[in-house]
Amino acid sequence: MSDQSANLPPESLWLAPYAMHSSNSIGREHPESMHPYRTPFQRDRDRIVHSSAYRRLAHKTQVFIGEKGDYHRTRLTHTLEVASIARTVGRVLRLNEDLIEALALMHDLGHPPFGHAGEDVLDACARAAGGFNHNRHAVRIVTLLESRYPEFPGLNLSGELLSGQRNRVKDEHSPSPQPLLEVQVVDAADSIAYDSHDADDALELGLLEWGELLKVPLWREAVHRVKDQYAALSQTQLRRAVIHQLIEIMVSDLINSGRRRMVDASIDSPQAVMGHRSRLVTVSDSLQVQMAELEKLLFDHVYRHPTVLAERALAVEALREMYTLYSEQPASLPDVWRQRLDTDGAVRTVCDFLAGMTDRYALEEHRRNLSPTR
Ligand code: MG
């Protein structure tokens, strides 16, 4: 069923032998005929872009909760940065860029409002029903909760999209088999994107001092390279140039390290990728250490900054109160959710309902239902 369309040049003209070719796709749960001019993975990407979960990423927290002006990243702009970095890497390595883009645009669909703080609340509330995990929830959204097509529930994505996303959950426990290179690229691009943009956002918001970042060798290296290139920059110009340089350093290292590992291991097919003892497209060991230093600084100074924690505490409390309200009165859920109570049970249904909310909608709902006088 997944023969390529006659209207497109064959992917084998430009994809490497170790790339995932859509003609070898395991296909979709509900079989569909080929589209006349889009590859299966292009269709997957388009379905994700047209989903409501994707649009809601615009109003979900990446790190900083919405009311701090409009400079900092949201879940949507983070997602687009990941897709942009991952496609660059994928094109150089001659991987399947359509699959990469679809995986990148899907990777954070399962985030509830208020980022990881929101995830922790839902995980605790849903303990009895197996907890809540944003990576697992993304699979639930694309296989079940999105309702757009008359023929099937969810988006009926290609199997490679689902196994790629499931791997993000499984990866926490078991190392093999390795995911496709396209999945590995998106994971690496995710880290590159947040390491750089969280530093940028934190500086802009005044949560992090330039001097603190200079203690991190990777940041110093990027500053050094920028100053070699430009004689006099304002502090803002310098900061932006350093962020670009930082991404450049990490992406170049990722491409070179990935390429070297594939040559060393004579990788010539997706099967060889999956059977390899470790991931192939990751940054070098030395850059890994440097990125960990930057991440530690971000963790200590930004993610645990008193302002960020205080903001989260309020958001978390609002989410917890709403969970309690709807679990005690499931009949007050909107129709579409109430209909799921019999099949999914109250815990999961309330969790799904809350997880779908944007930050803004969650705060409005809370004000309307639980603190009308506030
Ligand atoms: Mg991400």
Side-chain angles (χ1 to χ4, degrees):
M1 74 138 264
S2 31
D3 282 335
Q4 227 192 299
S5 159
N7 290 322
L8 293 168
E11 285 176 332
S12 53
L13 282 182
W14 68 88
L15 293 187
Y18 45 71
M20 179 65 215
H21 295 231
S22 65
S23 53
N24 296 327
S25 170
I26 52 178
R28 309 174 188 280
E29 187 185 348
H30 304 274
E32 295 179 50
S33 50
M34 278 298 296
H35 192 272
Y37 48 82
R38 287 181 299 164
T39 69
F41 299 137
Q42 276 182 294
R43 288 175 95 177
D44 292 329
R45 176 206 55 203
D46 295 346
R47 287 177 189 190
I48 292 161
V49 168
H50 290 278
S51 69
S52 21
Y54 178 79
R55 284 195 297 282
R56 287 198 294 257
L57 294 175
H59 302 288
K60 291 200 179 198
T61 294
Q62 175 62 27
V63 174
F64 310 102
I65 294 176
E67 290 155 358
K68 281 195 175 313
D70 49 17
Y71 178 87
H72 64 80
R73 273 71 171 177
T74 65
R75 222 21 102 179
L76 180 62
T77 62
H78 160 73
T79 294
L80 295 173
E81 289 186 31
V82 173
S84 161
I85 291 170
R87 285 181 59 185
T88 298
V89 176
R91 191 175 298 185
V92 179
L93 298 179
R94 292 171 52 220
L95 299 175
N96 196 319
E97 219 175 305
D98 296 333
L99 175 57
I100 285 182
E101 190 180 14
L103 285 162
L105 298 183
M106 173 182 62
H107 90 281
D108 269 352
L109 282 188
H111 271 288
F114 316 127
H116 289 284
E119 178 168 28
D120 292 344
V121 174
L122 292 185
D123 188 39
C125 292
R127 264 298 95 178
F132 178 90
N133 168 288
H134 75 273
N135 284 319
R136 216 180 303 134
H137 191 63
V139 176
R140 193 167 163 78
I141 289 172
V142 299
T143 54
L144 186 71
L145 297 179
E146 277 289 332
S147 164
R148 318 194 66 76
Y149 302 93
E151 301 90 337
F152 42 75
L155 305 178
N156 199 31
L157 301 177
S158 302
E160 289 74 19
L161 269 290
L162 300 181
S163 60
Q165 185 66 26
R166 287 193 177 111
N167 197 277
R168 295 175 67 88
V169 187
K170 200 175 63 155
D171 205 41
E172 294 154 19
H173 310 291
S174 128
S176 71
Q178 301 303 330
L180 292 168
L181 292 172
E182 284 80 0
V183 176
Q184 299 186 21
V185 167
V186 172
D187 287 351
D190 192 16
S191 308
I192 292 175
Y194 61 67
D195 280 3
S196 49
H197 67 47
D198 288 354
D200 186 36
D201 287 354
L203 283 168
E204 172 73 21
L205 294 171
L207 300 175
L208 194 55
E209 295 292 322
W210 185 263
E212 283 299 327
L213 275 164
L214 283 178
K215 293 177 188 163
V216 175
L218 178 57
W219 187 267
R220 273 208 309 274
E221 168 68 18
V223 173
H224 188 71
R225 289 192 191 192
V226 169
K227 288 192 166 167
D228 266 357
Q229 216 176 333
Y230 304 100
L233 293 180
S234 71
Q235 190 60 27
T236 309
Q237 287 174 319
L238 175 63
R239 189 182 88 211
R240 291 185 178 157
V242 168
I243 296 298
H244 299 156
Q245 190 56 242
L246 201 59
I247 297 175
E248 184 76 27
I249 292 173
M250 295 189 279
V251 169
S252 307
D253 179 291
L254 180 67
I255 291 169
N256 294 329
S257 311
R259 207 181 249 151
R260 198 172 322 114
R261 283 197 204 92
M262 282 194 278
V263 170
D264 289 351
S266 310
I267 297 298
D268 57 1
S269 67
Q271 289 68 34
V273 170
M274 292 189 276
H276 196 64
R277 64 178 188 284
S278 55
R279 288 194 175 212
L280 292 150
V281 186
T282 57
V283 296
S284 63
D285 293 347
S286 58
L287 183 63
Q288 190 63 63
V289 171
Q290 292 193 312
M291 287 171 72
E293 289 162 348
L294 175 58
E295 284 160 15
K296 180 166 186 332
L297 180 94
L298 291 172
F299 185 82
D300 293 343
H301 291 253
V302 180
Y303 309 147
R304 320 203 80 183
H305 191 285
T307 315
V308 173
L309 290 181
E311 219 172 40
R312 278 182 196 187
L314 284 175
V316 155
E317 200 39 43
L319 203 55
R320 208 190 315 274
E321 286 176 11
M322 280 197 286
Y323 182 87
T324 309
L325 173 79
Y326 285 108
S327 325
E328 285 168 0
Q329 306 165 28
S332 63
L333 283 165
D335 273 354
V336 50
W337 295 104
R338 214 169 42 226
Q339 288 160 12
R340 303 199 67 92
L341 284 168
D342 283 345
T343 43
D344 297 348
V347 174
R348 185 56 58 199
T349 304
V350 173
C351 226
D352 287 343
F353 172 52
L354 295 177
M357 292 180 174
T358 61
D359 293 15
R360 199 173 53 187
Y361 184 81
L363 291 172
E364 270 169 26
E365 268 292 291
H366 184 258
R367 255 187 295 262
R368 193 165 40 237
N369 292 313
L370 287 148
S371 55
T373 53
R374 247 184 254 172

